[in-house]
Amino acid sequence: MRRIITISFICCVFLFGAQDLGLGNDSLAADTPRGVWVSVFSESRVLYSREAVTKLIALCKQAKISQIYLQVYQSGYAYYDSGQFDRLKYEGMVKSAGVDTIDFLLKEARDNNIKVFGHNSNADIIKRFGREVLTRDQHLRISGRENPGESDKYYLREELLFLEPGDQRVAKFLLSVVEEVIERYPLFNGVHLDYVRYPMTVPFIPGSRFTKYGLSYGYGLKNIERFKEWTGLDCLFGLQRARDYMLWDDWRRDQITSLVRRIAKMVKEKSPDLLISSAVIPAGERAYSSLFQDWPLWLEEGIVDYVVLMNYTLDNQLTKELVRSSLSHRMKGKVFIGLGLYLMKDSPNAFIEQYKIVASLSPDGIAIFSYDDIDSALVKYLGAL
């Protein structure tokens, strides 16, 4: 199994791996590499005992899962051996297990040909720099729902706080987190990025020309300042022509892509064999125009080795359309499909049907969200393929 670190614009670290398994030719589903996400909120408390780690590895072997996405940082707490961030959770893990369970997990995964990648969320940066590093909407409200207003009658905002990728302090902070983890845990197989986008809203709008009809993010204070220095334009009140709006939208996309590129460059310089991947919004057009996450470009330019679509839906027809569209973007990288088992944990047959549909479309891999939702029946099914 591969071991990979996951970094996000909010705050978490996942481990995961991806490699052809050579499972035989019984079906297309059997040939598709598999992964699973494991959160620090997992009811299984994977990082708090050797037994929990051993159980995870055993389940992966039985279900022929070759990838683990393990969260190791969340809301300012490091669940790993950090010299920079709050170690309270990590010390609780070591006290409970008697060992550093990440070290134990990585060694067990290596011995069982399972790859592990890490995932990170960043609340500690808010303690350091204040809320100025959070992104804001065009009304200068920070992301999240703790500041409700009249518009919330009409728009649905994500609950999470998002960092502003256009703030260079954010970029420096995230780079330091990635560097610390891969240096401390050399058995990781790569870095998995999560939430590398601006916040999602419902309904969504296709760019800044339509901000009077919905919400849009990227109006972090430093980002506004840097854009004005570069263009001379005020993105809040000074955009008049179609070109102005395009400049502002391109600028926001470039902030995210630039950060992904910088992380990838740093990681590859540390070790060319480390893989870079990212969880992404499955609809490429929406990701590009509304969330400013240009993941097709990341694949086209080889910035990431692969993406994992967050295809969390019960709609199988929508699933087919999204997967078919996404696979056309493979270019220099690969496309994995993430399935939301949590939506179907009470209907296992529905998940199996969706799994078969996706596997028949020949993606480069399938990842399951999440570990807590996998029961013995699903393990048996996957293991029999």
Side-chain angles (χ1 to χ4, degrees):
M1 298 180 187
R2 285 186 181 171
R3 300 151 292 283
I4 296 182
I5 307 158
T6 304
I7 303 298
S8 75
F9 285 165
I10 53 168
C11 291
C12 6
V13 176
F14 278 98
L15 312 173
F16 102 87
Q19 184 170 325
D20 291 342
L21 301 179
L23 298 177
N25 298 311
D26 293 341
S27 68
L28 286 170
D31 294 329
T32 305
R34 302 171 193 151
V36 64
W37 277 280
V38 181
S39 166
V40 295
F41 297 114
S42 169
E43 295 177 1
S44 304
R45 292 172 60 83
V46 170
L47 295 179
Y48 284 84
S49 72
R50 295 188 189 205
E51 292 76 18
V53 170
T54 301
K55 181 179 179 182
L56 169 63
I57 297 297
L59 181 146
C60 289
K61 289 178 65 178
Q62 293 168 22
K64 299 178 181 176
I65 291 173
S66 65
Q67 317 164 357
I68 299 174
Y69 304 75
L70 176 69
Q71 187 177 17
V72 298
Y73 187 100
Q74 203 277 331
S75 297
Y77 292 105
Y79 289 75
Y80 67 93
D81 185 12
S82 174
Q84 300 185 62
F85 310 112
D86 193 319
R87 294 165 51 92
L88 181 63
K89 300 294 186 182
Y90 169 75
E91 290 169 358
M93 287 160 41
V94 173
K95 182 177 180 180
S96 175
V99 296
D100 183 324
T101 45
I102 295 179
D103 276 331
F104 182 65
L105 170 61
L106 294 176
K107 291 172 183 175
E108 289 293 303
R110 177 196 60 193
D111 294 345
N112 287 278
N113 195 33
I114 299 173
K115 298 176 182 178
V116 185
F117 298 65
H119 163 86
N120 164 65
S121 296
N122 307 282
D124 192 75
I125 188 174
I126 301 174
K127 297 177 184 177
R128 298 187 182 192
F129 300 113
R131 295 196 163 202
E132 189 176 299
V133 295
L134 297 173
T135 193
R136 299 169 184 250
D137 63 21
Q138 71 269 35
H139 306 297
L140 298 182
R141 300 179 304 175
I142 62 171
S143 58
R145 298 182 192 170
E146 63 182 49
N147 50 358
E150 180 69 19
S151 66
D152 289 306
K153 294 180 181 179
Y154 312 103
Y155 312 119
L156 179 64
R157 297 186 283 164
E158 286 195 75
E159 295 183 36
L160 302 171
L161 295 175
F162 278 68
L163 299 177
E164 173 55 67
D167 189 320
Q168 295 305 294
R169 294 171 296 181
V170 169
K172 183 178 180 180
F173 178 85
L174 291 173
L175 284 162
S176 72
V177 174
V178 178
E179 184 174 30
E180 180 180 55
V181 179
I182 61 177
E183 288 184 350
R184 169 60 183 83
Y185 298 99
L187 291 181
F188 275 125
N189 293 102
V191 175
H192 181 64
L193 307 173
D194 199 4
Y195 289 96
V196 279
R197 58 176 174 81
Y198 282 110
M200 185 183 300
T201 63
V202 179
F204 65 92
I205 57 173
S208 54
R209 285 187 301 148
F210 303 96
T211 50
K212 66 180 179 180
Y213 302 110
L215 298 177
S216 186
Y217 286 88
Y219 297 83
L221 304 183
K222 290 293 183 181
N223 200 33
I224 292 174
E225 184 179 297
R226 291 178 59 235
F227 177 72
K228 188 169 186 178
E229 289 175 356
W230 181 63
T231 64
L233 293 171
D234 180 347
C235 62
L236 287 170
F237 307 107
L239 306 182
Q240 302 294 332
R241 301 169 299 169
R243 180 179 175 276
D244 297 341
Y245 292 110
M246 287 183 63
L247 279 173
W248 173 231
D249 292 347
D250 286 343
W251 171 271
R252 286 183 285 178
R253 265 186 295 273
D254 288 345
Q255 302 316 300
I256 296 175
T257 295
S258 174
L259 182 51
V260 173
R261 197 190 306 273
R262 289 174 65 182
I263 291 173
K265 182 175 183 293
M266 185 268 290
V267 170
K268 295 292 187 178
E269 286 176 350
K270 294 285 184 182
S271 174
D273 294 332
L274 291 173
L275 298 179
I276 304 295
S277 62
S278 177
V280 299
I281 298 301
E285 180 181 357
R286 180 177 182 184
Y288 176 87
S289 63
S290 181
L291 306 175
F292 306 102
Q293 181 188 63
D294 193 4
W295 60 261
L297 178 71
W298 306 348
L299 292 175
E300 181 180 339
E301 295 191 358
I303 299 171
V304 300
D305 295 296
Y306 61 97
V307 296
V308 186
L309 267 67
M310 297 186 297
N311 184 69
Y312 304 154
T313 177
L314 298 172
D315 189 329
N316 286 340
Q317 183 60 36
L318 177 61
T319 291
K320 285 189 282 188
E321 293 179 3
L322 290 172
V323 173
R324 285 172 180 151
S325 175
S326 69
L327 294 181
S328 69
H329 294 294
R330 289 186 199 193
M331 300 298 202
K332 294 180 181 179
K334 297 182 178 182
V335 175
F336 284 52
I337 310 302
L339 300 182
L341 175 58
Y342 73 99
L343 295 172
M344 296 168 267
K345 59 183 178 181
D346 296 325
S347 303
N349 289 336
F351 178 80
I352 290 173
E353 178 63 22
Q354 188 172 101
Y355 185 96
K356 289 179 178 178
I357 289 171
V358 171
S360 73
L361 298 174
S362 300
D364 297 298
I366 295 176
I368 300 170
F369 188 82
S370 69
Y371 172 58
D372 281 343
D373 302 311
I374 299 178
D375 60 17
S376 58
L378 182 57
V379 170
K380 183 177 181 180
Y381 168 76
L382 294 174
L385 290 176

